[in-house]
Amino acid sequence: MIEILGFRIPAFFVYGSQGPELLCDFITNFQTKSDDVFIVSYPKSGTTWMQEIIWQIYNNGENTSKNIFERVPFLEFSTSPILGEFADIAKVPSPRLMKSHLSYSIIPKGSSDGAKCKYIYIARNPKDVAVSYFHFTVSLRSFGNGYNGPWEFFSKLFIDGNVGWNKWNDHVQGWWKHKDDPNVLFLKYEDLKKDLPSQVRLTANFLNKPLSEDIINRIAEQCSFNGMTKDLSRYTVRFNEGQTSILRKGVVGDWKNYFTPELNERFEKEVLSKIEGTGLEFDFEL
Ligand code: PPS
């Protein structure tokens, strides 16, 4: 891990001694445009799902085999000299759809014309986030950068925020405070699982891209877990000799297969109690 603007991020995002400084400068000086759309989340919360939905909203329900990172690039990967399938944001035509895991405080906001871009934040219940994050981090071993330890230890790293993009509760709360800003749409993974067409409609309207019911239903079908897993190569991340898929199980409640009563208690006390009274609530099973 390395630290950028107070955030831990995986060291393989940057290279060389100038790498951290380059990324730091890139983020700090990034000029937004009024038609930019940032898809933001804490890792493993449904970012890729929203990337695909939003790309399809902008493309009238088209379903393509192109890798998602070519279509919706990842801001924090922008200065990596090994972009691979990750598109170079500097070359992406407008309107730019971009993914980021940055906190509200450091996400690019400045624009030369003073106009505001849009942010779509997706949050997921932290127990499922922790489990998904564990599996993904282990899978990065094929990149030569993965986690080697057991779940028991990873869950503690997660609670303490000793993972990429720091503490779940700080991240989600930072964005939740801005949920009523006119240029922010705050969504939840579990709501997408409950009723995908209504969340697609809500997102399209927020983006001023109202769609026919036919297209909304087509997007919901193509972006269901079954629809997206029909061609997993679109959501595969390749690096050096390794590769991993971002789609794994796609359910609400997988945490129950991993949490002991002790861990559950610690989670309630150290993670969930922090969001009490904020109005932010999650479904932990459906
Ligand atoms: S990343 O790497 O941080 O950008 O990961 P992210 O995309 O945020 O989250 C990955 C999890 O989202 C699940 N996912 C989906 N669930 C349901 N339906 C659809 N269509 C879908 N697409 C992605 C993915 O499977 C990861 O969750 P887990 O629990 O690991 O399966």
Side-chain angles (χ1 to χ4, degrees):
M1 291 281 169
I2 53 151
E3 215 173 281
I4 298 282
L5 302 163
F7 265 76
R8 282 168 202 281
I9 62 165
F12 69 90
F13 276 44
V14 295
Y15 284 92
S17 55
Q18 299 300 309
E21 208 179 308
L22 258 177
L23 180 56
C24 192
D25 285 352
F26 179 82
I27 292 171
T28 314
N29 299 318
F30 189 86
Q31 282 297 308
T32 59
K33 300 179 185 172
S34 55
D35 55 0
D36 281 346
V37 178
F38 287 94
I39 296 144
V40 197
S41 64
Y42 187 80
K44 313 322 290 180
S45 303
T47 336
T48 316
W49 198 359
M50 283 316 297
Q51 282 171 268
E52 187 58 63
I53 290 170
I54 290 168
W55 189 85
Q56 292 197 14
I57 287 174
Y58 271 81
N59 290 277
N60 281 311
E62 189 188 328
N63 209 10
T64 171
S65 56
K66 256 191 172 183
N67 189 286
I68 192 70
F69 292 110
E70 274 182 67
R71 295 178 277 142
V72 186
F74 188 2
L75 188 75
E76 290 93 301
F77 216 77
S78 304
T79 55
S80 167
I82 307 180
L83 276 169
E85 272 155 326
F86 289 65
D88 182 350
I89 289 186
K91 295 185 189 139
V92 169
S94 289
R96 302 182 296 184
L97 311 179
M98 296 168 276
K99 157 185 172 168
S100 174
H101 291 314
L102 294 178
S103 67
Y104 184 82
S105 58
I106 58 169
I107 194 112
K109 293 181 203 77
S111 75
S112 43
D113 58 3
K116 284 189 172 164
C117 58
K118 290 191 167 149
Y119 303 93
I120 295 181
Y121 189 83
I122 176 142
R124 184 184 190 185
N125 87 68
K127 297 182 186 178
D128 281 332
V129 169
V131 170
S132 178
Y133 210 159
F134 167 67
H135 285 287
F136 189 68
T137 313
V138 166
S139 78
L140 294 180
R141 265 191 245 166
S142 71
F143 289 26
N145 278 277
Y147 171 73
N148 234 341
W151 155 248
E152 289 67 29
F153 188 64
F154 183 87
S155 61
K156 292 180 178 59
L157 293 176
F158 180 89
I159 291 172
D160 294 335
N162 287 324
V163 290
W165 291 275
N166 304 12
K167 270 193 184 172
W168 176 87
N169 28 308
D170 291 343
H171 201 286
V172 178
Q173 279 193 77
W175 279 94
W176 179 245
K177 284 183 190 140
H178 292 274
K179 68 177 191 322
D180 297 324
D181 291 6
N183 61 336
V184 174
L185 178 67
F186 193 103
L187 300 173
K188 292 183 199 159
Y189 180 99
E190 294 76 18
D191 292 341
L192 267 71
K193 283 297 286 189
K194 278 191 269 188
D195 184 353
L196 193 49
S198 82
Q199 299 296 300
V200 172
R201 191 179 304 110
L202 181 72
T203 306
N205 290 341
F206 171 76
L207 294 168
N208 295 323
K209 299 262 167 220
L211 299 171
S212 70
E213 283 305 298
D214 271 3
I215 295 187
I216 288 172
N217 289 329
R218 189 191 312 159
I219 294 176
E221 202 180 307
Q222 288 167 176
C223 295
S224 66
F225 193 74
N226 281 345
M228 283 175 64
T229 45
K230 278 192 181 134
D231 180 2
L232 271 182
S233 66
R234 294 176 289 180
Y235 316 110
T236 297
V237 185
R238 294 184 187 84
F239 181 77
N240 287 342
E241 303 299 305
Q243 65 170 49
T244 184
S245 174
I246 293 178
L247 273 68
R248 185 185 63 96
K249 215 166 177 180
V251 298
V252 178
D254 194 29
W255 63 272
K256 286 189 254 167
N257 299 315
Y258 294 84
F259 275 55
T260 60
E262 294 72 37
L263 176 60
N264 203 32
E265 201 177 306
R266 192 168 169 207
F267 230 80
E268 298 284 337
K269 216 163 91 194
E270 295 181 41
V271 181
L272 288 164
S273 72
K274 302 283 188 332
I275 59 165
E276 255 172 41
T278 62
L280 179 57
E281 284 173 1
F282 290 92
D283 290 310
F284 290 88
E285 51 193 310
L286 289 182

